[in-house]
């Protein structure tokens, strides 16, 4: 995915579905029909295009007070629908409900900055209901001197977006921001939904 909110895409970010030239996400847009009265003295017809897909972002940052080094090993968002057909009136319709894909970032390990969001996943997602089977898994390592320990955080998207969203809707951006504070053995998240 391109067009990150902050910074450049991670080199090893993996994309699934809706890929265009060069393997980057392909933003599918549409405009409502425009009526042109006849005769027209204006040679310009205005089209207002809108996104037909949703955008999914996952970022991680370290607590600014942490004395440890934190490295993200991988992030995976599992079981998203990615195959469908688009109808101007109906929107997206799942073509194959058994064709589920994972959006993920893997090695190289990346040290996260203190108190600054680093985006690891940004991909376009076909509009669909958010289900409890769609899991987000974050694997990270905490380093302190010569000591290191790997941790895994796993939660369903339904839990992460509880009270905020029940579906990925067209033209909206869905973000999950993780803050890791190893000195308190805490990982917190902030999920949000905005117009894209």
């Amino acid at each position: 995915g391109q067009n990150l909110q902050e910074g450049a895409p991670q080199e090893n970010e993996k994309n699934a579905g809706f890929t265009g030239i060069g393997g980057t996400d392909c933003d599918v847009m549409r405009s409502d029909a425009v009526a042109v009265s006849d005769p027209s003295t204006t040679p310009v017809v205005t089209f207002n295009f809108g996104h037909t897909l949703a955008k999914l972002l996952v970022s991680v940052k370290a607590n600014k007070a942490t004395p440890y080094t934190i490295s993200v090993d991988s992030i995976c968002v599992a079981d998203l629908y990615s195959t469908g057909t688009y109808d101007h009136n109906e929107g997206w319709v799942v073509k194959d409900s058994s064709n589920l894909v994972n959006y993920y970032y893997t090695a190289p390990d990346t040290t996260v900055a203190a108190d600054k969001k680093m985006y690891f996943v940004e991909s376009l997602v076909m509009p669909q209901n958010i289900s409890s089977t769609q899991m987000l898994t974050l694997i990270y390592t905490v380093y302190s001197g010569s000591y290191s320990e790997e941790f895994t955080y796993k939660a369903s998207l339904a839990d992460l977006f509880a009270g905020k969203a029940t579906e990925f809707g067209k033209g909206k951006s869905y973000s999950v921001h993780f803050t890791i504070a190893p000195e308190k053995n805490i990982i917190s998240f902030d999920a949000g939904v905005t117009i894209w």
Side-chain angles (χ1 to χ4, degrees), residues 170-190:
K170 68 177 183 178
K172 293 186 179 177
S173 177
Y174 298 82
S175 56
V176 180
H177 305 294
F178 288 99
T179 302
I180 301 172
E183 70 279 4
K184 298 177 183 177
N185 197 23
I186 292 174
I187 182 168
S188 60
F189 71 90
D190 175 26

Side-chain angles (χ1 to χ4, degrees), residues 11-166:
E11 286 184 13
N12 288 271
E13 180 189 350
K14 306 297 182 183
N15 300 290
F18 308 108
T19 54
I21 297 171
T24 58
D25 282 345
C26 181
D27 188 4
V28 181
M29 301 182 77
R30 65 170 281 272
S31 173
D32 289 330
V34 177
V36 178
S37 57
D38 182 276
S40 175
T41 57
T42 305
V44 177
V45 178
T46 302
F47 293 94
N48 294 314
F49 285 91
H51 302 283
T52 66
L53 299 168
K55 185 190 291 188
L56 175 63
L57 304 124
V58 180
S59 73
V60 181
K61 72 176 182 179
N63 181 19
K64 64 181 177 182
T66 184
Y68 306 100
T69 300
I70 301 166
S71 176
V72 171
D73 304 326
S74 68
I75 296 176
C76 178
V77 183
D79 293 342
L80 296 175
Y81 293 118
S82 70
T83 304
T85 57
Y86 183 80
D87 178 89
H88 188 73
N89 296 317
E90 294 181 36
W92 286 98
V93 177
V94 174
K95 186 175 182 181
D96 182 358
S97 61
S98 66
N99 187 13
L100 301 175
V101 298
N102 299 337
Y103 289 66
Y104 59 93
Y105 166 85
T106 56
D109 300 344
T110 302
T111 301
V112 295
D115 206 32
K116 179 183 177 184
K117 294 175 187 171
M118 292 183 67
Y119 285 85
F120 289 88
V121 173
E122 179 188 35
S123 288
L124 299 177
V125 178
M126 187 173 76
Q128 60 194 274
N129 290 330
I130 297 174
S131 79
S132 59
T133 61
Q134 296 170 327
M135 303 298 292
L136 189 152
T137 304
L138 166 64
I139 300 176
Y140 64 97
T141 302
V142 176
Y143 297 90
S144 177
S146 60
Y147 172 80
S148 67
E149 186 172 353
E150 183 179 273
F151 296 89
T152 299
Y153 178 87
K154 190 170 189 175
S156 73
L157 291 181
D159 288 341
L160 293 174
F161 285 103
K164 297 187 178 182
T166 58

